[in-house]
């Protein structure tokens, strides 16, 4: 069975030494009612609840899965009671703004809580988290009536929600959506169509479900420009009868088996418009981007649990002798951690997990600053960084976290492959992360085509500003000064590469499709280097002589040395993409 201990000390370090929430939160009107002690106590309380209530349900929920009978989905044993306690204790409202009836905690605290949620029970976390994105769509785009009908119920978690985009013929190409919404004799919208792969599509956790559905109104233009967004409830609000929403299938999945992934049929369902007609996709992007950030947090949580259990097993399991001589000569064999290959693997896990966690937490802070920082320039700077980092959090993190989880399972040997240890479940649960909320190739296209080339690198300049500011600070510290040159050199290479790709794309649009995965790898590597040096700086500033600081600095140096080898290779590859396209064009698939 999997074990887990929340990394509360690391949350504290990132919150106050790195991100300096104690200095930055007082500037934000939405969050200046909070202090460091309350943030810390809240995460400690959350850790205790999740560890005692949700971790024990992880394996049993995976084993039994959800079930469909008489048109309704039942979640695994223990889930309804756990959600009732989760909701009664106010956790769904943690980061909901005060004005909407929430507790108004900063997004960074929400990121740490959500990481713990994913670490203990990722299937449960999907039930819990989609709702907040639905709420934000309703509050931002809904009219007064829609906000009154759904706002309070979603804010408290009394009702959960879904996002209904995909159809049998329309996956990533939402322009192919066929679901329709017509106006009836009473002036109400009636929605009909089929949606598939809907997380939380039906369940027994709450008394109602709010589906956000993309559909076409009568006479709407073809393509994505003809999509509108609607809220459709499982049960009608006036009489609590079924609202023409039926479950036509419950998916039997490779992983996240305790979450209900459904095919839904809508038949003349009463629907409430959310936002302007034919502007549905623009509205839905708020929810989609929220979901993409949530996927990144999931990957960190899963990787953290995999690492903790691999480390525990490697300390307890004795096999063979260390190459440089026995470390435990009185025992018949040395622990696995005595072997350099095992130690190296575990260090690789930390090289990923620590900056990945900081990336999610940093973007959480930037989201809050983009919403309510008093300085307009800082709001704009923060918003540009959030836009740039969203595909990286979803794509780069889920690409690399899978490697961490897989190698953690391998450290168990044959014991990792059997069900009882829980390691193979982590591999299966993670497998969806590179796929849903837009596959990772789509994320890389979004990064290069829309977030870099389409705005002539303005968002990249926001990243460069952060990296150069850190480099300037590093130069003032003798220990860290050697790392500054790497950050400066990487920044100097960003604009020439962007201009090269922009020119090549003019002559052949396939350049973007071919180059985008390598470009995401490049920017992700640079961002991780920035984050490692940022952590090293914070540790060095707070306590230069501690073991914690020595660890952070050594890890930063190790990561930067590797990145200095990888980045030139990636840039060279990106510079020669047009020639690769010519070779690819001469190959026939059979």
């Amino acid at each position: 069975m999997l074990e887990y201990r929340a990394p509360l000390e690391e949350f504290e370090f990132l919150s106050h030494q790195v991100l300096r929430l104690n200095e930055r939160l007082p500037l934000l009107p939405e969050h200046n009612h909070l202090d460091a002690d309350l943030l810390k106590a809240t995460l400690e309380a959350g850790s205790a609840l999740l560890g005692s209530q949700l971790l024990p349900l992880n394996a049993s929920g995976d084993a039994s899965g959800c079930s469909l009978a008489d048109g309704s989905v039942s979640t695994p044993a223990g889930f309804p009671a756990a959600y009732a306690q989760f909701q009664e204790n106010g956790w769904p409202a943690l980061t909901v703004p005060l004005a909407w009836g929430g507790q108004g905690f900063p997004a960074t605290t929400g990121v740490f809580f959500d990481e713990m949620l994913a670490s203990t029970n990722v299937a449960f976390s999907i039930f819990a988290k989609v709702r907040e994105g639905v709420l934000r769509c309703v509050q931002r785009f809904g009219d007064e009536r829609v906000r009154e009908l759904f706002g309070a119920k979603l804010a408290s978690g009394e009702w959960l929600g879904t996002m209904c985009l995909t159809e049998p013929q329309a996956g990533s190409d939402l322009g192919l959506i066929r679901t329709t919404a017509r106006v009836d004799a009473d002036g109400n919208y009636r929605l009909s169509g089929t949606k598939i792969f809907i997380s939380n599509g039906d369940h027994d956790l709450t008394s109602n479900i709010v589906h956000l559905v993309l559909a076409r109104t009568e006479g709407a233009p073809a393509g994505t420009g003809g999509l509108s967004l609607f809220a459709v409830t499982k049960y009608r609000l006036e009489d609590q009868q079924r609202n023409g929403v039926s479950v036509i299938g419950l998916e039997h999945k490779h992983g996240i088996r305790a979450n209900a992934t459904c095919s839904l049929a809508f038949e003349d369902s009463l629907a409430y418009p959310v936002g302007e007609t034919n502007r549905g996709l623009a509205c839905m992007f708020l929810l989609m981007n929220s979901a993409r950030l949530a996927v990144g947090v999931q990957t960190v949580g899963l990787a953290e649990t995999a690492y903790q259990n691999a480390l525990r097993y490697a300390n307890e399991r004795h096999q063979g002798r260390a190459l440089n001589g026995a470390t435990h000569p009185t025992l018949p064999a040395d622990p696995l951690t005595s072997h350099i290959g095992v130690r190296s693997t575990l260090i690789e896990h930390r090289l990923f997990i620590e900056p990945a966690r900081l990336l999610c937490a940093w973007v959480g802070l930037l989201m809050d600053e983009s919403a309510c920082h008093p300085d307009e320039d800082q709001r704009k700077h923060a918003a540009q960084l959030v836009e740039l980092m969203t595909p990286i959090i979803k794509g780069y993190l889920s690409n690399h976290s899978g490697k961490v989880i897989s190698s953690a399972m391998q450290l168990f040997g044959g014991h990792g492959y059997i069900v009882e240890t829980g390691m193979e479940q982590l591999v299966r649960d993670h497998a969806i992360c590179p796929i849903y909320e837009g596959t990772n190739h789509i994320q890389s296209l979004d990064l290069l085509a829309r977030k870099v080339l389409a705005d002539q690198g303005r968002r990249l300049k926001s990243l460069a500003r952060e990296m150069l500011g850190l480099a300037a600070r590093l130069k003032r510290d003798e220990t860290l000064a050697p790392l500054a040159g790497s950050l400066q050199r990487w920044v100097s290479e960003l604009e020439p590469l962007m201009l090269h790709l922009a020119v090549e794309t003019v002559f052949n649009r396939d350049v973007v499709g071919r180059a985008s995965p390598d470009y995401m790898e490049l920017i992700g590597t640079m961002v991780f280097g920035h984050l490692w040096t940022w952590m090293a700086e914070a540790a060095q500033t707070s306590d230069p002589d501690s073991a914690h600081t020595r660890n952070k600095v050594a890890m930063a140096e190790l990561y930067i040395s590797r990145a200095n080898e990888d980045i030139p290779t990636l840039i060279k590859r990106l510079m020669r993409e047009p020639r690769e396209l010519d070779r690819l064009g001469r190959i026939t698939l059979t």
Side-chain angles (χ1 to χ4, degrees):
M1 180 179 171
L2 292 170
E3 297 181 11
Y4 172 72
R5 183 178 65 84
L8 296 172
E9 299 86 357
E10 190 68 7
F11 293 164
E12 182 79 0
F13 168 68
L14 296 181
S15 293
H16 302 297
Q17 271 67 57
V18 182
L19 297 173
R20 305 190 321 278
L21 292 186
N22 50 329
E23 300 172 22
R24 297 171 80 167
L25 285 185
L27 301 175
L28 306 179
E30 292 288 339
H31 310 297
N32 59 18
H33 63 292
L34 303 164
D35 60 32
D37 289 340
L38 182 56
L39 298 182
K40 179 180 179 181
T42 299
L43 290 174
E44 288 173 349
S47 167
L49 173 72
L50 301 178
S52 63
Q53 297 295 316
L54 295 185
L55 186 61
L57 298 177
N58 192 42
S60 61
D62 177 70
S64 64
C66 296
S67 59
L68 174 63
D70 300 323
S72 296
V73 173
S74 297
T75 55
F79 271 53
Y83 184 78
Q85 183 174 1
F86 183 82
Q87 193 260 328
E88 288 166 6
N89 289 342
W91 293 109
L94 183 67
T95 56
V96 173
L98 293 170
W100 300 352
Q103 300 177 40
F105 275 72
T108 296
T109 302
V111 163
F112 293 146
F113 180 81
D114 292 347
E115 181 193 319
M116 295 189 296
L117 192 56
S119 287
T120 53
N121 198 315
V122 71
F124 186 97
S125 79
I126 298 168
F127 281 120
K129 291 309 299 176
V130 177
R131 168 206 55 84
E132 188 164 343
V134 175
L135 171 65
R136 293 187 181 278
C137 277
V138 163
Q139 291 287 2
R140 180 168 176 180
F141 301 112
D143 60 20
E144 184 177 354
R145 182 187 181 212
V146 165
R147 294 196 300 272
E148 288 180 354
L149 289 174
F150 305 118
K153 301 286 191 182
L154 289 167
S156 68
E158 183 178 345
W159 292 351
L160 292 178
T162 75
M163 51 190 296
C164 298
L165 291 80
T166 306
E167 298 182 4
Q169 78 294 337
S172 301
D173 187 354
L174 297 176
L176 300 177
I177 282 176
R178 296 174 186 165
T179 296
T180 59
R182 63 175 181 83
V183 179
D184 66 15
D186 297 323
N188 298 313
Y189 277 99
R190 297 285 177 174
L191 188 142
S192 298
T194 300
K195 298 290 182 176
I196 64 171
F197 301 151
I198 307 305
S199 298
N200 310 347
D202 193 65
H203 52 77
D204 54 3
L205 302 184
T206 56
S207 61
N208 214 340
I209 302 171
V210 181
H211 304 287
L212 278 189
V213 189
L214 282 179
R216 296 187 184 283
T217 55
E218 294 175 298
T224 56
L227 296 175
S228 299
L229 187 61
F230 297 89
V232 179
T233 53
K234 175 180 177 178
Y235 296 109
R236 293 195 299 263
L237 302 183
E238 64 274 16
D239 58 12
Q240 296 303 302
Q241 298 300 305
R242 280 279 192 173
N243 188 26
V245 184
S246 57
V247 182
I248 56 177
L250 178 65
E251 303 299 341
H252 302 282
K253 307 186 297 290
H254 178 56
I256 56 168
R257 294 173 176 171
N259 186 263
T261 305
C262 302
S263 297
L264 300 178
F266 298 87
E267 300 176 26
D268 279 338
S269 304
L270 181 63
Y272 303 85
V274 179
E276 299 177 24
T277 303
N278 298 337
R279 294 282 297 163
L281 188 57
C283 299
M284 187 62 99
F285 265 119
L286 178 67
L287 177 51
M288 292 166 66
N289 286 330
S290 173
R292 288 166 179 172
L293 295 171
V295 172
V297 177
Q298 287 173 11
T299 69
V300 180
L302 290 167
E304 174 67 28
T305 299
Y307 166 75
Q308 287 190 21
N309 284 272
L311 176 62
R312 172 180 56 82
Y313 183 80
N315 279 324
E316 295 172 354
R317 178 76 167 175
H318 289 69
Q319 295 281 285
R321 290 297 187 191
L323 295 177
N324 280 331
T327 60
H328 292 65
T330 61
L331 298 176
D334 294 329
L336 289 177
T337 46
S338 299
H339 301 288
I340 188 60
V342 173
R343 284 182 55 80
S344 297
T345 297
L346 291 165
I347 289 170
E348 292 291 337
H349 296 175
R350 289 186 59 187
L351 281 172
F352 167 79
I353 292 169
E354 295 190 29
R357 174 181 292 127
L358 174 55
L359 176 58
C360 295
W362 180 36
V363 169
L365 175 59
L366 292 170
M367 290 169 64
D368 286 335
E369 289 187 338
S370 70
C372 61
H373 197 281
D375 182 81
E376 183 179 355
D377 288 341
Q378 180 58 25
R379 289 198 304 273
K380 182 179 179 181
H381 173 68
Q384 288 178 329
L385 282 170
V386 171
E387 291 164 358
L388 183 70
M389 295 300 166
T390 296
I392 295 171
I393 284 181
K394 198 283 180 185
Y396 185 80
L397 296 195
S398 60
N399 274 340
H400 286 270
S401 55
K403 300 171 187 175
V404 169
I405 296 165
S406 178
S407 70
M409 184 182 79
Q410 290 180 51
L411 288 182
F412 279 71
H415 294 285
Y417 196 67
I418 61 175
V419 170
E420 284 75 12
T421 60
M423 296 303 290
E424 59 83 34
Q425 183 190 341
L426 294 175
V427 173
R428 289 187 290 103
D429 283 348
H430 176 273
I432 189 60
C433 294
I435 299 172
Y436 65 174
E437 312 309 342
T439 63
N440 282 359
H441 189 78
I442 288 174
Q443 301 305 313
S444 69
L445 286 170
D446 179 50
L447 173 65
L448 178 55
R450 299 170 71 181
K451 304 298 172 59
V452 173
L453 296 181
D455 78 341
Q456 292 82 49
R458 281 190 288 271
R459 295 181 183 91
L460 271 183
K461 289 178 182 176
S462 290
L463 175 60
R465 169 179 152 184
E466 292 288 328
M467 294 176 71
L468 292 176
L470 175 59
R473 300 197 304 271
L474 293 175
K475 286 184 174 180
R476 298 195 289 266
D477 186 290
E478 183 178 350
T479 302
L480 303 178
L483 304 178
S486 295
L487 297 183
Q488 291 174 318
R489 186 170 62 256
W490 299 349
V491 168
S492 71
E493 293 167 334
L494 284 173
E495 187 170 1
L497 176 61
M498 183 198 70
L499 293 174
H500 169 79
L501 293 173
V503 170
E504 294 294 344
T505 300
V506 170
F507 297 100
N508 188 344
R509 291 290 297 172
D510 277 345
V511 168
V512 173
R514 174 63 179 166
S516 59
D518 283 337
Y519 193 81
M520 174 173 280
E521 185 69 17
L522 173 70
I523 301 300
T525 303
M526 289 183 177
V527 168
F528 266 38
H530 170 76
L531 297 172
W532 264 118
T533 52
W534 192 5
M535 285 188 284
E537 178 208 27
Q540 185 81 352
T541 302
S542 60
D543 189 0
D545 298 322
S546 70
H548 177 264
T549 295
R550 290 194 294 273
N551 247 354
K552 293 294 186 192
V553 172
M555 297 279 277
E557 291 171 341
L558 177 60
Y559 188 89
I560 294 295
S561 69
R562 299 228 184 129
N564 280 332
E565 297 173 359
D566 295 340
I567 285 172
T569 300
L570 286 164
I571 292 175
K572 183 178 180 181
R573 191 183 304 159
L574 285 161
M575 287 291 193
R576 68 169 188 258
E577 290 299 344
R579 282 173 286 169
E580 288 287 331
L581 283 171
D582 180 63
R583 296 186 185 102
L584 288 170
R586 296 200 302 268
I587 299 172
T588 301
L589 296 175
T590 58

